[in-house]
Amino acid sequence: MIDPVLADLNAAAERLWQACSPRWPELSLDVLPEVGSTNTELMERGRRGETWPTALVAVRQTAGRGRRGRTWAAQSGDTLTCSLGLPLKLDDVPGGGSALSLAVGLSLAQSLDRALQARHASGQGPALPPIGLKWPNDLWLGPRKLGGILIEATPAPGLPEGRRWVVIGFGINVRPGQAPAGSAWLARGDDDRLGIGEVWSWLLPDLLDTVQRFEASGFAPLLSAWSDRDVLKGQAVSLWTRPGQVPGDEAPPDASGTAQGVDESGALLVHTASGLQRWSSGEVSVRPASSPPPAAPPSTPQT
């Protein structure tokens, strides 16, 4: 018997090929029944020299990885887990991969909003609030976390000088499944037939275009649109900077202040007792200061 989730993703891959191939003729669309981590799989391919543009999606993910060592697993049909691998020249772009994470989040949020509004207009789903963005790599629906992003890069054989193999992983909760307490998801009720293949087809074409524009122009042209969705701006926040430490640990935060948005390189701006400080995504975890510690280690839908 054919796995219905696998069939759904294969059908979405056919639709996506028709939509993307005119501009991305070398794009490979790979659907796997199961994988440890979609990001790990594409990173390994890049190190072997397999550096053509590739979008990889999995029905089940058993060893997904998130930022700062978090782990996460995706069950069949509950969460879209996708990684996009591209050869990119990021070293000359202000903020590099950190800024790319913000650009990716904005692209996903905008695509989701358009699709969800269209579903509501056609009577297929309720009206939902705009997707919010939490620096540096989370998508929020209302006050809850909907998904996350993980950017990784590695040198790869055969690439021109200055280019690296960049893997953009993202996970979106489509159904509640085994999502951690406090998470958000897209499907509304048992009668909602929304599947992960449909959500994948909403996101990938715009994401490819966004990454191409980002490589050429950086994050600065996207700053205003990102700021409109910034869920931390104006909020009291706590920051953890020690390696391996994440929000929810017993140790107190290393810094606190009021979030003042982000700059043109994607760095977080926080007004602290020492003045306005700038934080890059590789050195800090942040959460609203009023948020209670999570009941379990944070689980970010990433790949």
Side-chain angles (χ1 to χ4, degrees):
M1 182 177 179
I2 298 176
D3 183 335
V5 179
L6 182 61
D8 176 39
L9 287 171
N10 281 327
E14 293 183 8
R15 296 193 301 271
L16 284 166
W17 172 248
Q18 294 175 355
C20 298
S21 59
R23 296 188 62 181
W24 296 84
E26 297 181 354
L27 178 67
S28 174
L29 295 161
D30 295 353
V31 179
L32 298 181
E34 183 174 297
V35 70
S37 159
T38 56
N39 257 41
T40 297
E41 173 66 22
L42 283 191
M43 289 289 283
E44 291 175 351
R45 292 186 189 185
R47 294 187 183 106
R48 294 195 300 264
E50 301 172 17
T51 55
W52 50 86
T54 302
L56 173 66
V57 68
V59 175
R60 290 175 295 278
Q61 178 176 258
T62 60
R65 296 177 294 108
R67 186 170 166 267
R68 295 173 73 91
R70 298 179 178 96
T71 59
W72 182 79
Q75 302 303 313
S76 177
D78 291 342
T79 305
L80 171 64
T81 57
C82 177
S83 292
L84 173 64
L86 298 165
L88 297 175
K89 188 174 183 180
L90 291 183
D91 293 345
D92 295 334
V93 180
S98 298
L100 176 59
S101 181
L102 273 63
V104 169
L106 178 61
S107 176
L108 298 178
Q110 291 174 331
S111 297
L112 285 170
D113 276 352
R114 283 193 296 269
L116 293 170
Q117 289 167 8
R119 287 190 93 229
H120 173 62
S122 64
Q124 298 180 62
L128 295 175
I131 304 297
L133 296 169
K134 175 183 171 291
W135 186 93
N137 63 339
D138 291 345
L139 290 88
W140 281 21
L141 179 58
R144 297 182 175 186
K145 185 172 178 177
L146 176 69
I149 299 156
L150 178 64
I151 308 291
E152 298 184 285
T154 183
L159 291 182
E161 183 178 355
R163 289 189 177 272
R164 288 180 290 162
W165 178 241
V166 179
V167 177
I168 301 163
F170 61 90
I172 305 292
N173 293 327
V174 177
R175 297 187 173 279
Q178 297 181 1
S183 298
W185 51 85
L186 297 175
R188 298 290 143 173
D190 295 337
D191 295 333
D192 193 332
R193 300 177 63 85
L194 180 63
I196 61 175
E198 183 175 359
V199 177
W200 189 32
S201 67
W202 294 346
L203 303 179
L204 187 60
D206 290 338
L207 179 57
L208 285 163
D209 291 343
T210 294
V211 174
Q212 190 174 55
R213 291 194 300 270
F214 175 87
E215 186 181 29
S217 304
F219 178 68
L222 307 175
L223 176 58
S224 177
W226 198 95
S227 296
D228 289 342
R229 297 175 183 269
D230 184 355
V231 301
L232 293 181
K233 190 172 184 178
Q235 301 294 314
V237 295
S238 299
L239 304 106
W240 285 258
T241 61
R242 279 163 280 178
Q245 190 179 37
V246 297
D249 287 347
E250 293 183 1
D254 298 298
S256 61
T258 302
Q260 300 290 333
V262 300
D263 66 14
E264 292 187 349
S265 68
L268 177 68
L269 303 176
V270 179
H271 191 274
T272 71
S274 302
L276 188 66
Q277 297 190 12
R278 180 178 179 275
W279 304 84
S280 68
S281 63
E283 63 188 20
V284 64
S285 285
V286 59
R287 78 156 188 251
S290 60
S291 297
S299 177
T300 302
Q302 294 167 358
T303 54

